[in-house]
Amino acid sequence: MERNGQSEAISHSLADEQGHQNLEAMKAGMFLRKVRSRSWKRQRHYKLQEDCKTIAYKSNGIKMTDLFKKIFSISDVEVVREGHQSEALLSVADEFPAVRCFTLVFRGRRGNLDLVADSAKEAQAWIQGIRALMENMENMDESTKLDQWISDWFLKADLNKDGRINFKEAKKLLKIMNVDMNEEHMADKSESGTLEDQEFVEFYKMLTERTEVLDLFQDYSSDGKSLSQCDLEEFLREEQLEGEGSYEHALQLIDRYEPSDTARMNHMMSVDGLLMYLTSPEGSIFNPERQDLFQDMSQPLAHYYISSSHNTYLMEDQLKGPSSVEAYIQALKRGCRCVEVDCWNGSNGEPVVYHGHTLTSKILLKDVITTIANYAFKASEYPLIVSIENHCSIEQQEVMALYFRDILGDMLLTNTVDGVSSELPSPEALKRKILLKGKKIENESENPTGEVSDEDEAAEINKDSPPTNGKKSKQNLCKELSDLMFCKSVHFHSFEHSRTSAKSNEMSSFSESKAHKYSKEADFVLHNTRQLTRVYPSGMRTDSSNYSPVDMWNMGCQIVALNFQSAGMEMDLNDGLFTQNGCSGYILKPEILCKRERLFDPENPEERDDYHPLLFYVKVISGQQLPKVKQKEWSIVDPLVRVEIYGVPLDQAKQETKYIDNNGFNPHWNETLQFTIHTPELALVHFVVEDYDKASRNDFIGQYTIPFTNIQPGYRHVHLLSKDGTSIHPSSIYVHIKITEL
């Protein structure tokens, strides 16, 4: 795997002459301005490395002969935006034209990189070049991706860039990669005392030989050398429970994953082919049939869980953190279908968005609405609900109404007659529509001033604090804004009042504490079969932490709003639930939470008519290439795996394996964990890998969350994610799943 050859291959894959020129320009290096704000602009020298996978950069003042110290990978870039598509670049729009500006958006919570080139031509070289390289990396098969990953590590160790590393460097590198090794392991075929890059790849593959997969292969191979089509069919039927049509399925898998042309022609699969299948999306624990849109989207909105964000404008905490349109972009790109906009009077008659009465920064409402218009339907075509907290004067409310109408245009749902019908429309009927949710004037003939009670919203504004002197505040509402509200915010009186008087488009909001209080009442589940309910975090969570959404989902609450900017178990669960069904942001609630004639009680799931508990066995077999969590050279992780079940109270459970001492590279546990699942359709399974520490809290390594109903049985890989929910390829754990009736 020569680096120059690899570069030429990538150049060739970029096809046209322009693509080749872009690549050469990037490899030659270029000065670009890095912009953080109107007052912070610095020149940096950026250069594509010979591997065509990483970009190095250094400050203007450093000598050109010095090594580039700072590097980021093309695989870390999620998207390249052209023009003034960030607050930093908008702030310098009068100084630098859009054709010279672009933004690199990184995966996870890493900040964006805003850059300005000296010319439009240079900007396009980087924009088109990075996009082409990203596409090239996306199209690699798993085997090539692994080779790339190994090569990346080799390049880090090859400090003098001569294409070889000595034993000491190799040992140091492998410790960083969580491997311990002895000199006799070194595969120095050239007997030069060093490893060249291809030797290092072979050496690495020797160390990573999957004996547990080889044993499985031998169990099903008729001749001990390969899996015939019949052998593979038997494996798929007996272990993977892919019984129907598995003969044809076996042939498809051989064609798709077998690297040997000879074996493929003879309808055989080698151990390498089996490993490629097991590590592919088809061999994943997540049933691929449920990753695309598979649910009925024609039921009323109240029958769906809706991915929902709280204080969407915030990047950090809700006391002094920055507000940014980038927070809306990130939430919408993650499939969020309900965003929050807190509107306050701004200077020069321009409404602003921020967390009122705090030190959080302010952004213009018109910029927020423009961002929503641009990104509303990039991740999902299903309706977007915009929840509005309105604290503006009549004059600025008129400006709000004007912006919503003019900027959103045809996307804005305007047929907002009270009541709509006995039920809300379906996600399918509302495709590519934006629904505003907020206060509405009750009845214009009876209330000509447009005065509305602010009691429910006041509770939301003050985040659980009671109104001053116990008095209910009032607010005058602009008719033009009121008329745009599709979902009407109403004060919650009682479940009985809701049952007899509520219109289908009326929605109440509950703080997490109030929602927990009402969850003790059986009517809450029934209420949520008819009405949309929004739940939001307590105002005491000044650090923008989150509550567990599971208890609210168990009650059928649709809009369980979380602080998307705060990583942690709660967002893991949210991501896990909404990863299915095409990442559409809408998940059809289980039938037990939609039927009005049969009331489901999460506290007593065994009382349901169709109660069928399941036994869930997870054999945690091994781990692969777990990331290092402590950067000290001598430190290697001591990993353990914990499996946590979230769902109805009877299902809440967690078990963990023992820890493996000093091996994050290829640890073997071979431990079986067992759970009883009483309500499978509400259960989520959370895999957590940690570095054991007897003296302090364990360090997080990786996680993965999956709805129980989406789990594939058999031998599967769990591909681990970071705290931010982004892939940490090739890290995984290898498990065997068995599900039986109790």
Side-chain angles (χ1 to χ4, degrees), residues 77 83 119 125 131 143 192 195 236 273 291 301 356 390 478 493 544 570 592 640 661 695:
V77 180
S119 68
R131 283 176 176 168
S143 179
S192 62
L195 291 180
L236 294 171
Q291 288 185 322
L301 278 185
N390 172 17
C478 153
H493 295 283
S544 292
E570 298 83 6
I592 53 175
L640 61 84
D661 190 42

Side-chain angles (χ1 to χ4, degrees), residues 102-138:
F102 61 100
T103 300
L104 302 186
V105 181
F106 293 97
R107 301 181 192 280
R109 286 174 171 77
R110 177 176 174 176
N112 296 347
L113 180 58
D114 294 309
L115 297 169
V116 181
D118 285 343
S119 68
K121 183 180 179 181
E122 290 182 351
Q124 280 302 310
W126 283 89
I127 291 166
Q128 293 175 14
I130 292 176
R131 283 176 176 168
L133 290 169
M134 289 168 63
E135 184 179 358
N136 185 73
M137 295 187 86
E138 280 295 313

Side-chain angles (χ1 to χ4, degrees), residues 50-108:
E50 285 299 320
D51 62 3
C52 289
K53 297 175 307 214
T54 51
I55 292 173
Y57 58 100
K58 60 184 177 182
S59 299
N60 192 13
I62 298 176
K63 292 179 182 178
M64 294 300 295
T65 53
D66 290 348
L67 287 173
F68 285 77
K69 299 288 185 184
K70 298 180 180 178
I71 291 177
F72 63 85
S73 172
I74 296 290
S75 61
D76 293 335
V77 180
E78 186 173 6
V79 71
V80 185
R81 297 187 198 141
E82 296 186 55
H84 300 138
Q85 291 203 57
S86 73
E87 280 146 310
L89 292 177
L90 281 168
S91 72
V92 295
D94 57 343
E95 188 177 354
F96 302 113
V99 291
R100 290 169 54 191
C101 301
F102 61 100
T103 300
L104 302 186
V105 181
F106 293 97
R107 301 181 192 280

Side-chain angles (χ1 to χ4, degrees), residues 421-473:
S421 69
S422 60
E423 290 187 315
L424 285 169
S426 68
E428 192 66 35
L430 295 171
K431 262 187 172 179
R432 301 193 70 83
K433 287 296 180 185
I434 294 175
L435 286 52
L436 301 188
K437 172 251 173 191
K439 289 170 285 189
K440 284 177 72 73
I441 298 169
E442 297 286 338
N443 187 318
E444 197 179 350
S445 60
E446 297 175 11
N447 187 13
T449 64
E451 193 177 75
V452 294
S453 168
D454 200 28
E455 56 182 337
D456 185 62
E457 293 296 324
E460 190 166 351
I461 295 160
N462 295 311
K463 308 302 181 197
D464 299 332
S465 300
T468 308
N469 301 324
K471 294 180 181 177
K472 297 172 184 174
S473 60

